[in-house]
Amino acid sequence: FVVFSIYSTMRVSSVLALLFATSVEVSYAQEEEDLEEELLEEPDEADEEDEYDEDSMQIKCLPHVEAVEAEHGYFDDHAATDDQLAAKANAIAAIAGQIVENPKEGLKEVVHAKLKNIRDGKLPYGARDMCSLVEVHNAEL
């Protein structure tokens, strides 16, 4: 009876392991199928408009912001002094009208604070990031 019981337990364990492996395999196959469908799916018109707006903002903004970087140094220069950061913030505030319509007040302070955080945290920050900051600041107020 004991031998039969151990044999039955081992057999049940094997069956359960097989069922589990099969369910995992089916689940993985379903995820692959869903991913393929998503990749083949036509993009939604609303998605295209959002991407176009973001891209056009970047196209409009990048040349101006990159010019500031060329003149004043990289935004993520971790050795920049407070005066250098202030000069970059002033320059961004000065060109904001070429990037967004009716730039909001306080951009210079926001940019200066952000550049200090980037410098002190030794974080990467580029022209695209700066364009996003200008756009978000203008949209929030």
mmCIF file of all heavy atoms in Angstrom, residues 25-59:
data_model
loop_
_atom_site.group_PDB
_atom_site.id
_atom_site.type_symbol
_atom_site.label_atom_id
_atom_site.label_comp_id
_atom_site.label_asym_id
_atom_site.label_seq_id
_atom_site.Cartn_x
_atom_site.Cartn_y
_atom_site.Cartn_z
ATOM 1 N N GLU A 25 3.517 27.197 -21.805
ATOM 2 C CA GLU A 25 3.817 27.218 -23.233
ATOM 3 C C GLU A 25 2.670 27.853 -24.017
ATOM 4 O O GLU A 25 2.889 28.671 -24.905
ATOM 5 C CB GLU A 25 4.051 25.785 -23.706
ATOM 6 C CG GLU A 25 4.758 25.681 -25.023
ATOM 7 C CD GLU A 25 5.138 24.245 -25.323
ATOM 8 O OE1 GLU A 25 5.934 23.669 -24.556
ATOM 9 O OE2 GLU A 25 4.630 23.727 -26.317
ATOM 10 N N VAL A 26 1.446 27.530 -23.677
ATOM 11 C CA VAL A 26 0.281 28.112 -24.347
ATOM 12 C C VAL A 26 0.216 29.609 -24.073
ATOM 13 O O VAL A 26 -0.040 30.411 -24.959
ATOM 14 C CB VAL A 26 -1.022 27.398 -23.891
ATOM 15 C CG1 VAL A 26 -2.249 28.171 -24.337
ATOM 16 C CG2 VAL A 26 -1.041 25.978 -24.417
ATOM 17 N N SER A 27 0.477 29.993 -22.841
ATOM 18 C CA SER A 27 0.457 31.410 -22.474
ATOM 19 C C SER A 27 1.515 32.179 -23.262
ATOM 20 O O SER A 27 1.263 33.267 -23.768
ATOM 21 C CB SER A 27 0.699 31.560 -20.971
ATOM 22 O OG SER A 27 0.813 32.904 -20.628
ATOM 23 N N TYR A 28 2.713 31.627 -23.381
ATOM 24 C CA TYR A 28 3.794 32.271 -24.119
ATOM 25 C C TYR A 28 3.420 32.404 -25.593
ATOM 26 O O TYR A 28 3.641 33.441 -26.209
ATOM 27 C CB TYR A 28 5.091 31.472 -23.949
ATOM 28 C CG TYR A 28 6.258 32.046 -24.693
ATOM 29 C CD1 TYR A 28 6.875 33.217 -24.246
ATOM 30 C CD2 TYR A 28 6.748 31.444 -25.847
ATOM 31 C CE1 TYR A 28 7.945 33.760 -24.938
ATOM 32 C CE2 TYR A 28 7.813 31.990 -26.535
ATOM 33 C CZ TYR A 28 8.408 33.136 -26.075
ATOM 34 O OH TYR A 28 9.460 33.673 -26.763
ATOM 35 N N ALA A 29 2.831 31.362 -26.161
ATOM 36 C CA ALA A 29 2.429 31.397 -27.563
ATOM 37 C C ALA A 29 1.363 32.473 -27.778
ATOM 38 O O ALA A 29 1.384 33.182 -28.784
ATOM 39 C CB ALA A 29 1.911 30.030 -28.002
ATOM 40 N N GLN A 30 0.442 32.617 -26.847
ATOM 41 C CA GLN A 30 -0.607 33.632 -26.961
ATOM 42 C C GLN A 30 0.007 35.031 -26.902
ATOM 43 O O GLN A 30 -0.389 35.915 -27.657
ATOM 44 C CB GLN A 30 -1.651 33.458 -25.851
ATOM 45 C CG GLN A 30 -2.807 34.421 -25.951
ATOM 46 C CD GLN A 30 -3.618 34.243 -27.221
ATOM 47 O OE1 GLN A 30 -3.912 33.130 -27.626
ATOM 48 N NE2 GLN A 30 -3.964 35.333 -27.869
ATOM 49 N N GLU A 31 0.996 35.232 -26.022
ATOM 50 C CA GLU A 31 1.656 36.530 -25.938
ATOM 51 C C GLU A 31 2.368 36.863 -27.245
ATOM 52 O O GLU A 31 2.320 38.002 -27.710
ATOM 53 C CB GLU A 31 2.656 36.542 -24.779
ATOM 54 C CG GLU A 31 2.007 36.592 -23.413
ATOM 55 C CD GLU A 31 3.020 36.505 -22.290
ATOM 56 O OE1 GLU A 31 4.235 36.643 -22.538
ATOM 57 O OE2 GLU A 31 2.581 36.308 -21.146
ATOM 58 N N GLU A 32 3.027 35.871 -27.848
ATOM 59 C CA GLU A 32 3.699 36.094 -29.130
ATOM 60 C C GLU A 32 2.695 36.470 -30.214
ATOM 61 O O GLU A 32 2.923 37.377 -31.003
ATOM 62 C CB GLU A 32 4.467 34.839 -29.563
ATOM 63 C CG GLU A 32 5.826 34.691 -28.952
ATOM 64 C CD GLU A 32 6.588 33.522 -29.562
ATOM 65 O OE1 GLU A 32 5.991 32.631 -30.192
ATOM 66 O OE2 GLU A 32 7.819 33.524 -29.397
ATOM 67 N N GLU A 33 1.554 35.767 -30.223
ATOM 68 C CA GLU A 33 0.521 36.045 -31.212
ATOM 69 C C GLU A 33 -0.038 37.462 -31.031
ATOM 70 O O GLU A 33 -0.227 38.195 -31.994
ATOM 71 C CB GLU A 33 -0.596 35.010 -31.084
ATOM 72 C CG GLU A 33 -1.646 35.099 -32.161
ATOM 73 C CD GLU A 33 -2.682 33.994 -32.019
ATOM 74 O OE1 GLU A 33 -2.286 32.817 -31.880
ATOM 75 O OE2 GLU A 33 -3.875 34.335 -32.036
ATOM 76 N N ASP A 34 -0.274 37.852 -29.784
ATOM 77 C CA ASP A 34 -0.778 39.199 -29.507
ATOM 78 C C ASP A 34 0.223 40.261 -29.957
ATOM 79 O O ASP A 34 -0.157 41.291 -30.517
ATOM 80 C CB ASP A 34 -1.074 39.371 -28.013
ATOM 81 C CG ASP A 34 -2.268 38.545 -27.549
ATOM 82 O OD1 ASP A 34 -3.041 38.077 -28.418
ATOM 83 O OD2 ASP A 34 -2.409 38.372 -26.320
ATOM 84 N N LEU A 35 1.505 40.008 -29.724
ATOM 85 C CA LEU A 35 2.541 40.955 -30.120
ATOM 86 C C LEU A 35 2.594 41.090 -31.641
ATOM 87 O O LEU A 35 2.693 42.198 -32.164
ATOM 88 C CB LEU A 35 3.899 40.527 -29.572
ATOM 89 C CG LEU A 35 5.083 41.424 -29.889
ATOM 90 C CD1 LEU A 35 4.854 42.830 -29.334
ATOM 91 C CD2 LEU A 35 6.367 40.849 -29.327
ATOM 92 N N GLU A 36 2.506 39.967 -32.348
ATOM 93 C CA GLU A 36 2.507 40.010 -33.808
ATOM 94 C C GLU A 36 1.323 40.811 -34.329
ATOM 95 O O GLU A 36 1.466 41.623 -35.239
ATOM 96 C CB GLU A 36 2.469 38.593 -34.380
ATOM 97 C CG GLU A 36 3.785 37.856 -34.294
ATOM 98 C CD GLU A 36 3.694 36.434 -34.828
ATOM 99 O OE1 GLU A 36 2.722 36.118 -35.549
ATOM 100 O OE2 GLU A 36 4.595 35.649 -34.516
ATOM 101 N N GLU A 37 0.139 40.594 -33.750
ATOM 102 C CA GLU A 37 -1.046 41.339 -34.166
ATOM 103 C C GLU A 37 -0.857 42.835 -33.934
ATOM 104 O O GLU A 37 -1.218 43.655 -34.769
ATOM 105 C CB GLU A 37 -2.278 40.852 -33.406
ATOM 106 C CG GLU A 37 -2.801 39.519 -33.865
ATOM 107 C CD GLU A 37 -3.998 39.051 -33.053
ATOM 108 O OE1 GLU A 37 -4.627 39.881 -32.368
ATOM 109 O OE2 GLU A 37 -4.296 37.853 -33.102
ATOM 110 N N GLU A 38 -0.281 43.185 -32.795
ATOM 111 C CA GLU A 38 -0.060 44.595 -32.458
ATOM 112 C C GLU A 38 0.905 45.246 -33.443
ATOM 113 O O GLU A 38 0.714 46.383 -33.871
ATOM 114 C CB GLU A 38 0.481 44.699 -31.037
ATOM 115 C CG GLU A 38 0.553 46.106 -30.520
ATOM 116 C CD GLU A 38 0.996 46.143 -29.068
ATOM 117 O OE1 GLU A 38 0.424 45.414 -28.247
ATOM 118 O OE2 GLU A 38 1.922 46.915 -28.780
ATOM 119 N N LEU A 39 1.944 44.515 -33.823
ATOM 120 C CA LEU A 39 2.926 45.065 -34.753
ATOM 121 C C LEU A 39 2.354 45.236 -36.151
ATOM 122 O O LEU A 39 2.728 46.155 -36.881
ATOM 123 C CB LEU A 39 4.165 44.172 -34.798
ATOM 124 C CG LEU A 39 5.029 44.165 -33.544
ATOM 125 C CD1 LEU A 39 6.126 43.115 -33.667
ATOM 126 C CD2 LEU A 39 5.627 45.527 -33.283
ATOM 127 N N LEU A 40 1.446 44.348 -36.547
ATOM 128 C CA LEU A 40 0.860 44.407 -37.875
ATOM 129 C C LEU A 40 -0.327 45.363 -37.951
ATOM 130 O O LEU A 40 -0.752 45.735 -39.038
ATOM 131 C CB LEU A 40 0.409 43.009 -38.322
ATOM 132 C CG LEU A 40 1.537 41.997 -38.520
ATOM 133 C CD1 LEU A 40 0.958 40.623 -38.816
ATOM 134 C CD2 LEU A 40 2.472 42.432 -39.625
ATOM 135 N N GLU A 41 -0.813 45.771 -36.805
ATOM 136 C CA GLU A 41 -1.988 46.637 -36.738
ATOM 137 C C GLU A 41 -1.688 48.008 -37.331
ATOM 138 O O GLU A 41 -0.606 48.564 -37.155
ATOM 139 C CB GLU A 41 -2.372 46.790 -35.257
ATOM 140 C CG GLU A 41 -3.720 47.334 -35.006
ATOM 141 C CD GLU A 41 -4.025 47.284 -33.519
ATOM 142 O OE1 GLU A 41 -4.474 46.229 -33.048
ATOM 143 O OE2 GLU A 41 -3.774 48.295 -32.849
ATOM 144 N N GLU A 42 -2.654 48.567 -38.047
ATOM 145 C CA GLU A 42 -2.509 49.909 -38.604
ATOM 146 C C GLU A 42 -2.501 50.926 -37.468
ATOM 147 O O GLU A 42 -3.289 50.817 -36.533
ATOM 148 C CB GLU A 42 -3.683 50.208 -39.546
ATOM 149 C CG GLU A 42 -3.658 49.404 -40.820
ATOM 150 C CD GLU A 42 -2.490 49.769 -41.719
ATOM 151 O OE1 GLU A 42 -2.139 50.955 -41.799
ATOM 152 O OE2 GLU A 42 -1.920 48.846 -42.334
ATOM 153 N N PRO A 43 -1.637 51.939 -37.531
ATOM 154 C CA PRO A 43 -1.626 52.944 -36.474
ATOM 155 C C PRO A 43 -2.922 53.745 -36.468
ATOM 156 O O PRO A 43 -3.521 54.002 -37.499
ATOM 157 C CB PRO A 43 -0.426 53.835 -36.806
ATOM 158 C CG PRO A 43 -0.013 53.475 -38.175
ATOM 159 C CD PRO A 43 -0.632 52.165 -38.540
ATOM 160 N N ASP A 44 -3.327 54.116 -35.275
ATOM 161 C CA ASP A 44 -4.525 54.918 -35.087
ATOM 162 C C ASP A 44 -4.238 56.345 -35.551
ATOM 163 O O ASP A 44 -3.145 56.858 -35.372
ATOM 164 C CB ASP A 44 -4.886 54.909 -33.597
ATOM 165 C CG ASP A 44 -6.283 55.391 -33.329
ATOM 166 O OD1 ASP A 44 -7.059 55.515 -34.284
ATOM 167 O OD2 ASP A 44 -6.596 55.634 -32.144
ATOM 168 N N GLU A 45 -5.215 57.008 -36.161
ATOM 169 C CA GLU A 45 -5.009 58.377 -36.644
ATOM 170 C C GLU A 45 -4.636 59.317 -35.509
ATOM 171 O O GLU A 45 -3.812 60.210 -35.671
ATOM 172 C CB GLU A 45 -6.264 58.885 -37.348
ATOM 173 C CG GLU A 45 -6.454 58.281 -38.725
ATOM 174 C CD GLU A 45 -7.675 58.851 -39.423
ATOM 175 O OE1 GLU A 45 -8.047 60.003 -39.134
ATOM 176 O OE2 GLU A 45 -8.252 58.136 -40.251
ATOM 177 N N ALA A 46 -5.235 59.120 -34.342
ATOM 178 C CA ALA A 46 -4.913 59.978 -33.196
ATOM 179 C C ALA A 46 -3.450 59.811 -32.799
ATOM 180 O O ALA A 46 -2.778 60.774 -32.456
ATOM 181 C CB ALA A 46 -5.815 59.652 -32.015
ATOM 182 N N ASP A 47 -2.943 58.565 -32.862
ATOM 183 C CA ASP A 47 -1.534 58.330 -32.552
ATOM 184 C C ASP A 47 -0.638 59.060 -33.535
ATOM 185 O O ASP A 47 0.373 59.647 -33.158
ATOM 186 C CB ASP A 47 -1.206 56.834 -32.588
ATOM 187 C CG ASP A 47 -1.873 56.061 -31.466
ATOM 188 O OD1 ASP A 47 -2.288 56.707 -30.482
ATOM 189 O OD2 ASP A 47 -1.980 54.820 -31.573
ATOM 190 N N GLU A 48 -1.003 59.028 -34.820
ATOM 191 C CA GLU A 48 -0.198 59.704 -35.831
ATOM 192 C C GLU A 48 -0.160 61.205 -35.576
ATOM 193 O O GLU A 48 0.880 61.836 -35.709
ATOM 194 C CB GLU A 48 -0.754 59.425 -37.224
ATOM 195 C CG GLU A 48 -0.495 58.014 -37.708
ATOM 196 C CD GLU A 48 -1.074 57.770 -39.085
ATOM 197 O OE1 GLU A 48 -1.424 58.742 -39.776
ATOM 198 O OE2 GLU A 48 -1.168 56.591 -39.461
ATOM 199 N N GLU A 49 -1.289 61.791 -35.185
ATOM 200 C CA GLU A 49 -1.333 63.229 -34.926
ATOM 201 C C GLU A 49 -0.453 63.583 -33.737
ATOM 202 O O GLU A 49 0.275 64.561 -33.769
ATOM 203 C CB GLU A 49 -2.767 63.679 -34.675
ATOM 204 C CG GLU A 49 -3.624 63.667 -35.923
ATOM 205 C CD GLU A 49 -5.066 64.023 -35.635
ATOM 206 O OE1 GLU A 49 -5.344 64.534 -34.526
ATOM 207 O OE2 GLU A 49 -5.915 63.791 -36.506
ATOM 208 N N ASP A 50 -0.499 62.773 -32.664
ATOM 209 C CA ASP A 50 0.330 63.042 -31.491
ATOM 210 C C ASP A 50 1.803 62.985 -31.863
ATOM 211 O O ASP A 50 2.583 63.845 -31.463
ATOM 212 C CB ASP A 50 0.044 62.023 -30.380
ATOM 213 C CG ASP A 50 -1.332 62.218 -29.757
ATOM 214 O OD1 ASP A 50 -1.926 63.303 -29.977
ATOM 215 O OD2 ASP A 50 -1.810 61.294 -29.073
ATOM 216 N N GLU A 51 2.194 61.963 -32.625
ATOM 217 C CA GLU A 51 3.585 61.849 -33.027
ATOM 218 C C GLU A 51 3.989 63.021 -33.907
ATOM 219 O O GLU A 51 5.076 63.552 -33.784
ATOM 220 C CB GLU A 51 3.805 60.533 -33.774
ATOM 221 C CG GLU A 51 3.749 59.318 -32.880
ATOM 222 C CD GLU A 51 3.893 58.029 -33.655
ATOM 223 O OE1 GLU A 51 4.420 58.061 -34.786
ATOM 224 O OE2 GLU A 51 3.466 56.989 -33.131
ATOM 225 N N TYR A 52 3.115 63.433 -34.799
ATOM 226 C CA TYR A 52 3.421 64.545 -35.693
ATOM 227 C C TYR A 52 3.620 65.821 -34.893
ATOM 228 O O TYR A 52 4.561 66.560 -35.121
ATOM 229 C CB TYR A 52 2.305 64.728 -36.720
ATOM 230 C CG TYR A 52 2.568 65.886 -37.640
ATOM 231 C CD1 TYR A 52 3.506 65.788 -38.668
ATOM 232 C CD2 TYR A 52 1.911 67.091 -37.470
ATOM 233 C CE1 TYR A 52 3.759 66.864 -39.494
ATOM 234 C CE2 TYR A 52 2.166 68.168 -38.298
ATOM 235 C CZ TYR A 52 3.083 68.053 -39.308
ATOM 236 O OH TYR A 52 3.343 69.109 -40.122
ATOM 237 N N ASP A 53 2.741 66.083 -33.927
ATOM 238 C CA ASP A 53 2.867 67.288 -33.112
ATOM 239 C C ASP A 53 4.182 67.284 -32.341
ATOM 240 O O ASP A 53 4.871 68.281 -32.286
ATOM 241 C CB ASP A 53 1.692 67.410 -32.127
ATOM 242 C CG ASP A 53 0.392 67.737 -32.835
ATOM 243 O OD1 ASP A 53 0.446 68.156 -34.014
ATOM 244 O OD2 ASP A 53 -0.669 67.556 -32.222
ATOM 245 N N GLU A 54 4.505 66.147 -31.735
ATOM 246 C CA GLU A 54 5.743 66.062 -30.972
ATOM 247 C C GLU A 54 6.948 66.229 -31.888
ATOM 248 O O GLU A 54 7.880 66.956 -31.575
ATOM 249 C CB GLU A 54 5.809 64.708 -30.256
ATOM 250 C CG GLU A 54 7.037 64.565 -29.386
ATOM 251 C CD GLU A 54 7.072 63.239 -28.662
ATOM 252 O OE1 GLU A 54 6.009 62.760 -28.246
ATOM 253 O OE2 GLU A 54 8.192 62.713 -28.510
ATOM 254 N N ASP A 55 6.915 65.567 -33.039
ATOM 255 C CA ASP A 55 8.033 65.669 -33.969
ATOM 256 C C ASP A 55 8.181 67.090 -34.492
ATOM 257 O O ASP A 55 9.293 67.602 -34.598
ATOM 258 C CB ASP A 55 7.845 64.711 -35.142
ATOM 259 C CG ASP A 55 8.004 63.253 -34.731
ATOM 260 O OD1 ASP A 55 8.569 63.008 -33.651
ATOM 261 O OD2 ASP A 55 7.552 62.384 -35.480
ATOM 262 N N SER A 56 7.062 67.743 -34.805
ATOM 263 C CA SER A 56 7.157 69.098 -35.331
ATOM 264 C C SER A 56 7.688 70.045 -34.259
ATOM 265 O O SER A 56 8.433 70.965 -34.564
ATOM 266 C CB SER A 56 5.804 69.577 -35.864
ATOM 267 O OG SER A 56 4.862 69.686 -34.828
ATOM 268 N N MET A 57 7.332 69.802 -33.008
ATOM 269 C CA MET A 57 7.866 70.618 -31.918
ATOM 270 C C MET A 57 9.379 70.412 -31.823
ATOM 271 O O MET A 57 10.130 71.368 -31.683
ATOM 272 C CB MET A 57 7.178 70.229 -30.602
ATOM 273 C CG MET A 57 7.771 70.874 -29.380
ATOM 274 S SD MET A 57 7.663 72.665 -29.442
ATOM 275 C CE MET A 57 8.475 73.077 -27.933
ATOM 276 N N GLN A 58 9.810 69.173 -31.904
ATOM 277 C CA GLN A 58 11.243 68.892 -31.842
ATOM 278 C C GLN A 58 11.971 69.519 -33.022
ATOM 279 O O GLN A 58 13.039 70.093 -32.861
ATOM 280 C CB GLN A 58 11.483 67.374 -31.809
ATOM 281 C CG GLN A 58 11.021 66.692 -30.546
ATOM 282 C CD GLN A 58 11.887 67.008 -29.343
ATOM 283 O OE1 GLN A 58 13.078 67.280 -29.459
ATOM 284 N NE2 GLN A 58 11.289 66.981 -28.173
ATOM 285 N N ILE A 59 11.385 69.418 -34.211
ATOM 286 C CA ILE A 59 12.018 70.001 -35.397
ATOM 287 C C ILE A 59 12.116 71.510 -35.262
ATOM 288 O O ILE A 59 13.125 72.117 -35.630
ATOM 289 C CB ILE A 59 11.232 69.613 -36.669
ATOM 290 C CG1 ILE A 59 11.418 68.120 -36.944
ATOM 291 C CG2 ILE A 59 11.665 70.435 -37.867
ATOM 292 C CD1 ILE A 59 10.489 67.565 -38.001
#
